[in-house]
Amino acid sequence: ANHAANAGLPEDIWCANCTLTLLYEQSYSHLVSRADFWIASANAVIRQTSIDGALDLADTFRWGREDAESCPGSGERLPSPTGCADVEDVFLMR
């Protein structure tokens, strides 16, 4: 949680009374893992904010993530990006 790449993210981003948490618990917790819900939510934001909804990731979404309270060392697997090219390399080219 306390990783430089998380700069700006609050520690309690998944808090008991947050809108996203309440939506998940009330409508989706019996259908999908919290991890899948988090990614599906991010994909929805990408679609809604892309020009004409062009970045719709629904067809490429894969279900099956498992929830974990922590993932030690996960932040060390990605390089520290210095610009768009680094981010594109990690998420698009690999």
Side-chain angles (χ1 to χ4, degrees), residues 23 35 48 55 57 70 80-81 83-84 89:
L23 177 63
Q48 291 299 110
L55 294 175
L57 304 172
S70 67
S80 296
C84 292
D89 179 53

Side-chain angles (χ1 to χ4, degrees), residues 78-79 83-94:
L78 296 174
C84 292
D86 293 336
V87 175
E88 288 176 357
D89 179 53
V90 168
F91 292 105
L92 300 176
M93 308 309 283
R94 290 186 188 180

Side-chain angles (χ1 to χ4, degrees), residues 45-64:
V45 169
I46 290 169
R47 182 189 67 238
Q48 291 299 110
T49 58
S50 67
I51 297 171
D52 296 325
L55 294 175
D56 189 347
L57 304 172
D59 291 338
T60 61
F61 186 82
R62 287 183 278 174
W63 303 93

Side-chain angles (χ1 to χ4, degrees), residues 18-38:
C18 294
T19 303
L20 207 56
T21 304
L22 296 174
L23 177 63
Y24 171 74
E25 290 174 352
Q26 294 169 4
S27 302
Y28 297 98
S29 62
H30 64 286
L31 297 172
V32 299
S33 68
R34 203 171 50 171
D36 275 342
F37 179 76
W38 188 260

